[in-house]
Amino acid sequence: PEGLPCQVFISHAWAEGIFEFGNGVRSAWPAGHGLTNLYCCLLANPQNLDLEVFLNVAPLMNPFAQALQRASHILVIPNSKISIYSRLWCVYEAYLGTTMEKVCLMPATPHARRQGYSCAKVLSIPFLLGLLTSLLWRYVIYPKYGPGHVFQVIFSCLAVTVIASLWGVVPPQMQKCMAFVKSLHALGIFIATSVCLPW
C-alpha cells in the first residue's frame, strides 16, 4: 500500500517523552484546514530495521525530505530538555521548510501580561461597560419605554452570539477572522450584560 498523503510534517529532537510530544502536537495542530494526516519519523520509519538503507542517500532523497516536500505544514515540537535546533537534522528540516515556503507552526504559551490584556479586552471591559449601561437602562430608560425594547435587545444579543459561533466554524484566514469573532464576542457580552437588570 502507498499509504496516505503527507499533509503535516513533524520536526522534533527525540528528547521528549511521548506525553510531552503528544501535547505539543495537539497544541500546534493547524485546525480549520481539513488536515488529518501527519508524518512523524518515529512512527513512519521502521525503527527496528537498519535505517542506513533509508538514510544513506542524498539528503533531498531520504524519507524525511520526501515527506516534507509533500506536506503543506511543519509542526516544530520543542521539549523541556534541550533546544530542538541543537540537533542538526532539525536545522536542516527548518531550512527545507523555509526554502520550500511551508507553513511552520510551534506550540507556545503567551505571556501572562498578554493573556490578561486579551482577557480584559474581550471579557472584563465589555462586561463592565455593559453593567454600567444596564444600570442606566434600568433606572432611566426602562421606566420610560417599558419591556418591549428590552426583548428586542435580547434577541439582537442572541443573533450576535449565533453569528459569532457560526463564523468561528469557517476556516480562519487567521488574524482578520479571529479579530472579527472576538469583536462579536465582546459585543455579545456587552449587550447581554446591558439587558440583565432590566430583564
Side-chain angles (χ1 to χ4, degrees):
E2 295 185 0
L4 299 170
C6 177
Q7 297 174 326
V8 179
F9 182 91
I10 306 292
S11 179
H12 70 116
W14 286 85
E16 66 283 329
I18 190 64
F19 294 110
E20 184 180 14
F21 176 80
N23 289 337
V25 171
R26 283 195 299 273
S27 299
W29 188 263
H33 295 275
L35 303 176
T36 56
N37 307 330
L38 66 84
Y39 174 92
C40 180
C41 57
L42 71 91
L43 300 172
N45 295 338
Q47 303 295 335
N48 57 340
L49 300 180
D50 183 10
L51 287 178
E52 291 298 322
V53 177
F54 299 94
L55 302 180
N56 194 20
V57 294
L60 279 175
M61 298 303 296
N62 67 48
F64 301 92
Q66 293 289 312
L68 198 150
Q69 288 178 41
R70 290 168 172 77
S72 61
H73 290 67
I74 300 175
L75 295 193
V76 179
I77 308 301
N79 62 79
S80 57
K81 295 179 181 174
I82 62 170
S83 166
I84 184 172
Y85 295 117
S86 63
R87 185 169 182 250
L88 187 58
W89 193 260
C90 294
V91 175
Y92 182 62
E93 290 171 348
Y95 165 76
L96 287 182
T98 303
T99 55
M100 296 176 184
E101 297 184 345
K102 306 296 182 179
V103 178
C104 295
L105 302 171
M106 179 185 287
T109 303
H111 295 295
R113 180 180 294 178
R114 179 164 296 207
Q115 284 181 311
Y117 172 72
S118 179
C119 180
K121 188 168 67 172
V122 178
L123 295 174
S124 304
I125 294 174
F127 176 80
L128 292 174
L129 288 176
L131 192 59
L132 291 173
T133 306
S134 177
L135 292 170
L136 176 68
W137 198 334
R138 174 65 181 88
Y139 295 106
V140 178
I141 300 175
Y142 181 79
K144 184 175 180 181
Y145 293 103
H149 292 281
V150 175
F151 288 111
Q152 290 176 8
V153 176
I154 290 173
F155 288 125
S156 300
C157 176
L158 291 175
V160 167
T161 305
V162 170
I163 292 171
S165 62
L166 291 177
W167 192 273
V169 176
V170 177
Q173 301 306 324
M174 299 312 287
Q175 297 298 327
K176 290 184 179 178
C177 178
M178 293 312 298
F180 181 73
V181 171
K182 285 181 179 179
S183 300
L184 282 179
H185 179 71
L187 181 61
I189 291 177
F190 168 74
I191 296 175
T193 313
S194 298
V195 301
C196 67
L197 282 180
W199 192 28

